[in-house]
Amino acid sequence: MTEQRPRGQVQRGRYYDELEVGDRFLHRPGRTVTEADNALFSALTMNQQALHVDAAYAATQPFGRPLMNSMWTLATLVGLSVSQLTQGTLVAQLGLCDVSFPHPLFAGDTLYAETEIVAKRLSNSRPGEGLVTMAHTGRNQDGVVVATATRVALMRLASGSSEPSAEPS
């Protein structure tokens, strides 16, 4: 008697071939921020900025309460996209640019992420891989933009060849 294996599909991101310029992804669920997230991330990264870790000091500043560490916001913004875009299909993150934080994020807020594919091209030096430029936007629960970043990622082609079948010559 042959052993029956359960059928299943491993969650993965999208291959280079599966992404088109103009594609927009809404990454759900969001992530509700806690004071513990802020304290732990700030401690782990040795960022003891009083605006993040000293509630009494932050209360005397313009926002009146601790701001979420912006590097946590950036890391979580990108992290929220992983399962839908790059899980198992990413070769390497090549860079981040145009990072901005137009509005603060606070404990109790929920961060939602969305990504637009803004450019892509095959790699000149790595057959079977291509560069994808993504514009990430983070919004709080009220829809206010709290972070933006552009990311370039080296992604695998589904076929593994240097010529994707879905792209015209």
Side-chain angles (χ1 to χ4, degrees):
M1 178 182 255
T2 43
E3 185 179 322
Q4 294 261 334
R5 295 180 111 172
R7 293 187 64 183
Q9 186 175 38
V10 174
Q11 183 174 343
R12 66 161 173 86
R14 305 251 184 335
Y15 288 100
Y16 174 92
D17 324 54
E18 298 172 315
L19 296 168
E20 297 297 331
V21 172
D23 285 351
R24 190 166 159 251
F25 299 90
L26 303 178
H27 310 297
R28 300 297 184 268
R31 173 68 158 73
T32 301
V33 178
T34 68
E35 289 179 21
D37 293 328
N38 205 23
L40 180 60
F41 188 87
S42 294
L44 289 171
T45 58
M46 299 183 72
N47 181 345
Q48 295 305 301
Q49 170 55 252
L51 284 171
H52 305 313
V53 300
D54 184 334
Y57 171 79
T60 69
Q61 298 306 299
F63 292 104
R65 57 188 167 148
L67 305 176
M68 193 63 194
N69 186 314
S70 58
M71 294 296 98
W72 182 94
T73 303
L74 177 61
T76 305
L77 172 60
V78 171
L80 286 166
S81 74
V82 168
S83 64
Q84 197 172 16
L85 293 178
T86 61
Q87 180 66 45
T89 58
L90 176 78
V91 177
Q93 177 166 288
L94 301 180
L96 287 162
C97 63
D98 303 322
V99 176
S100 68
F101 304 100
H103 188 274
L105 194 63
F106 302 102
D109 285 346
T110 300
L111 177 63
Y112 293 98
E114 59 190 65
T115 302
E116 182 177 350
I117 306 304
V118 295
K120 65 182 262 193
R121 70 169 179 81
L122 292 172
S123 172
N124 294 323
S125 60
R126 297 181 61 98
E129 298 169 3
L131 287 80
V132 178
T133 303
M134 302 172 228
H136 296 293
T137 302
R139 299 177 190 276
N140 70 13
Q141 67 281 355
D142 298 321
V144 176
V145 175
V146 297
T148 61
T150 301
R151 175 168 68 134
V152 178
L154 186 62
M155 307 285 295
R156 290 185 177 89
L157 273 65
S159 61
S161 73
S162 59
E163 291 297 323
S165 57
E167 229 175 73
S169 305

